[in-house]
mmCIF file of all heavy atoms in Angstrom:
data_model
loop_
_atom_site.group_PDB
_atom_site.id
_atom_site.type_symbol
_atom_site.label_atom_id
_atom_site.label_comp_id
_atom_site.label_asym_id
_atom_site.label_seq_id
_atom_site.Cartn_x
_atom_site.Cartn_y
_atom_site.Cartn_z
ATOM 1 N N PHE F 32 53.690 -32.732 -27.738
ATOM 2 C CA PHE F 32 55.136 -32.791 -27.634
ATOM 3 C C PHE F 32 55.617 -34.243 -27.636
ATOM 4 O O PHE F 32 55.398 -34.991 -26.686
ATOM 5 C CB PHE F 32 55.593 -32.073 -26.359
ATOM 6 C CG PHE F 32 55.034 -30.688 -26.229
ATOM 7 C CD1 PHE F 32 54.019 -30.415 -25.313
ATOM 8 C CD2 PHE F 32 55.482 -29.650 -27.027
ATOM 9 C CE1 PHE F 32 53.489 -29.137 -25.194
ATOM 10 C CE2 PHE F 32 54.960 -28.378 -26.921
ATOM 11 C CZ PHE F 32 53.957 -28.116 -26.004
ATOM 12 N N ARG F 33 56.306 -34.637 -28.723
ATOM 13 C CA ARG F 33 56.721 -36.024 -28.886
ATOM 14 C C ARG F 33 57.854 -36.421 -27.949
ATOM 15 O O ARG F 33 58.101 -37.613 -27.750
ATOM 16 C CB ARG F 33 57.147 -36.268 -30.339
ATOM 17 C CG ARG F 33 55.998 -36.128 -31.326
ATOM 18 C CD ARG F 33 56.426 -36.504 -32.719
ATOM 19 N NE ARG F 33 55.327 -36.414 -33.664
ATOM 20 C CZ ARG F 33 55.411 -36.718 -34.961
ATOM 21 N NH1 ARG F 33 56.576 -37.134 -35.449
ATOM 22 N NH2 ARG F 33 54.371 -36.606 -35.740
ATOM 23 N N SER F 64 43.591 -29.654 -6.963
ATOM 24 C CA SER F 64 42.458 -30.570 -6.836
ATOM 25 C C SER F 64 41.518 -30.409 -8.023
ATOM 26 O O SER F 64 41.360 -29.304 -8.573
ATOM 27 C CB SER F 64 41.678 -30.279 -5.540
ATOM 28 O OG SER F 64 42.518 -30.296 -4.418
ATOM 29 N N LEU F 78 60.138 -24.213 -20.533
ATOM 30 C CA LEU F 78 61.129 -24.501 -19.494
ATOM 31 C C LEU F 78 61.913 -25.793 -19.693
ATOM 32 O O LEU F 78 62.915 -26.006 -19.009
ATOM 33 C CB LEU F 78 60.439 -24.561 -18.115
ATOM 34 C CG LEU F 78 59.857 -23.263 -17.571
ATOM 35 C CD1 LEU F 78 59.204 -23.516 -16.208
ATOM 36 C CD2 LEU F 78 60.930 -22.184 -17.441
ATOM 37 N N GLY F 91 43.055 -40.894 -8.244
ATOM 38 C CA GLY F 91 41.687 -40.398 -8.365
ATOM 39 C C GLY F 91 41.553 -39.179 -9.252
ATOM 40 O O GLY F 91 40.502 -38.526 -9.261
ATOM 41 N N GLY F 156 47.197 -17.196 3.267
ATOM 42 C CA GLY F 156 47.763 -17.103 4.599
ATOM 43 C C GLY F 156 46.848 -17.735 5.626
ATOM 44 O O GLY F 156 45.706 -18.111 5.333
ATOM 45 N N GLU F 162 37.904 -17.428 12.102
ATOM 46 C CA GLU F 162 37.747 -17.795 10.690
ATOM 47 C C GLU F 162 37.855 -19.304 10.508
ATOM 48 O O GLU F 162 37.119 -19.895 9.715
ATOM 49 C CB GLU F 162 38.807 -17.094 9.848
ATOM 50 C CG GLU F 162 38.590 -15.601 9.695
ATOM 51 C CD GLU F 162 39.777 -14.910 9.045
ATOM 52 O OE1 GLU F 162 40.915 -15.419 9.176
ATOM 53 O OE2 GLU F 162 39.572 -13.851 8.421
ATOM 54 N N LYS F 167 35.359 -24.404 9.273
ATOM 55 C CA LYS F 167 35.125 -25.807 9.625
ATOM 56 C C LYS F 167 33.640 -26.146 9.549
ATOM 57 O O LYS F 167 33.262 -27.249 9.135
ATOM 58 C CB LYS F 167 35.671 -26.080 11.019
ATOM 59 C CG LYS F 167 35.668 -27.547 11.414
ATOM 60 C CD LYS F 167 36.335 -27.741 12.771
ATOM 61 C CE LYS F 167 36.349 -29.209 13.161
ATOM 62 N NZ LYS F 167 36.986 -29.412 14.485
ATOM 63 N N ALA F 188 28.533 -24.663 -13.464
ATOM 64 C CA ALA F 188 30.002 -24.688 -13.417
ATOM 65 C C ALA F 188 30.591 -23.768 -14.480
ATOM 66 O O ALA F 188 31.558 -23.047 -14.213
ATOM 67 C CB ALA F 188 30.500 -26.119 -13.612
ATOM 68 N N ALA F 221 38.897 -34.237 -3.960
ATOM 69 C CA ALA F 221 40.071 -34.033 -3.102
ATOM 70 C C ALA F 221 40.029 -32.724 -2.333
ATOM 71 O O ALA F 221 40.796 -32.556 -1.375
ATOM 72 C CB ALA F 221 41.340 -34.090 -3.946
ATOM 73 N N CYS F 239 63.789 -23.885 2.976
ATOM 74 C CA CYS F 239 64.326 -23.711 1.622
ATOM 75 C C CYS F 239 63.773 -22.426 1.018
ATOM 76 O O CYS F 239 62.802 -21.855 1.523
ATOM 77 C CB CYS F 239 63.949 -24.909 0.755
ATOM 78 S SG CYS F 239 62.171 -25.069 0.431
ATOM 79 N N PRO F 240 64.370 -21.918 -0.069
ATOM 80 C CA PRO F 240 63.800 -20.752 -0.743
ATOM 81 C C PRO F 240 62.376 -21.033 -1.212
ATOM 82 O O PRO F 240 62.091 -22.112 -1.746
ATOM 83 C CB PRO F 240 64.745 -20.543 -1.938
ATOM 84 C CG PRO F 240 66.019 -21.185 -1.543
ATOM 85 C CD PRO F 240 65.631 -22.363 -0.694
ATOM 86 N N PHE F 251 40.440 -17.283 -4.768
ATOM 87 C CA PHE F 251 40.633 -18.234 -3.682
ATOM 88 C C PHE F 251 41.859 -17.914 -2.828
ATOM 89 O O PHE F 251 42.164 -18.660 -1.895
ATOM 90 C CB PHE F 251 40.777 -19.652 -4.249
ATOM 91 C CG PHE F 251 39.580 -20.098 -5.043
ATOM 92 C CD1 PHE F 251 39.628 -20.185 -6.417
ATOM 93 C CD2 PHE F 251 38.389 -20.415 -4.401
ATOM 94 C CE1 PHE F 251 38.526 -20.586 -7.150
ATOM 95 C CE2 PHE F 251 37.279 -20.818 -5.121
ATOM 96 C CZ PHE F 251 37.344 -20.900 -6.504
ATOM 97 N N ASP F 256 50.612 -11.981 2.505
ATOM 98 C CA ASP F 256 51.552 -11.202 3.317
ATOM 99 C C ASP F 256 51.791 -11.870 4.671
ATOM 100 O O ASP F 256 52.898 -11.795 5.228
ATOM 101 C CB ASP F 256 51.032 -9.774 3.513
ATOM 102 C CG ASP F 256 49.628 -9.741 4.123
ATOM 103 O OD1 ASP F 256 48.790 -10.590 3.749
ATOM 104 O OD2 ASP F 256 49.371 -8.872 4.974
ATOM 105 N N ILE F 261 55.719 -15.730 8.114
ATOM 106 C CA ILE F 261 55.988 -17.051 8.688
ATOM 107 C C ILE F 261 57.192 -17.713 8.034
ATOM 108 O O ILE F 261 58.033 -18.318 8.715
ATOM 109 C CB ILE F 261 54.749 -17.955 8.547
ATOM 110 C CG1 ILE F 261 53.585 -17.390 9.361
ATOM 111 C CG2 ILE F 261 55.060 -19.388 8.972
ATOM 112 C CD1 ILE F 261 52.270 -18.085 9.096
ATOM 113 N N SER F 273 45.819 -12.994 -14.379
ATOM 114 C CA SER F 273 45.900 -14.429 -14.134
ATOM 115 C C SER F 273 44.958 -14.751 -12.986
ATOM 116 O O SER F 273 44.764 -13.933 -12.090
ATOM 117 C CB SER F 273 47.337 -14.826 -13.786
ATOM 118 O OG SER F 273 47.450 -16.219 -13.622
ATOM 119 N N PHE F 278 48.204 -21.602 -14.844
ATOM 120 C CA PHE F 278 49.113 -22.461 -15.596
ATOM 121 C C PHE F 278 48.483 -22.944 -16.890
ATOM 122 O O PHE F 278 49.182 -23.368 -17.806
ATOM 123 C CB PHE F 278 49.561 -23.648 -14.734
ATOM 124 C CG PHE F 278 50.503 -23.249 -13.641
ATOM 125 C CD1 PHE F 278 50.031 -22.998 -12.364
ATOM 126 C CD2 PHE F 278 51.854 -23.079 -13.896
ATOM 127 C CE1 PHE F 278 50.892 -22.613 -11.350
ATOM 128 C CE2 PHE F 278 52.726 -22.696 -12.891
ATOM 129 C CZ PHE F 278 52.246 -22.453 -11.615
ATOM 130 N N LYS F 299 72.979 -24.584 -6.784
ATOM 131 C CA LYS F 299 73.233 -25.697 -7.712
ATOM 132 C C LYS F 299 74.440 -26.494 -7.282
ATOM 133 O O LYS F 299 75.286 -26.017 -6.579
ATOM 134 C CB LYS F 299 73.411 -25.149 -9.129
ATOM 135 C CG LYS F 299 72.161 -24.386 -9.601
ATOM 136 C CD LYS F 299 72.193 -24.118 -11.057
ATOM 137 C CE LYS F 299 70.914 -23.446 -11.536
ATOM 138 N NZ LYS F 299 70.888 -23.171 -12.952
#
Side-chain angles (χ1 to χ4, degrees):
F32 308 106
R33 295 186 178 182
S64 306
L78 293 179
E162 289 171 333
K167 188 175 181 180
C239 66
F251 301 107
D256 56 321
I261 296 170
S273 183
F278 289 96
K299 300 193 176 180

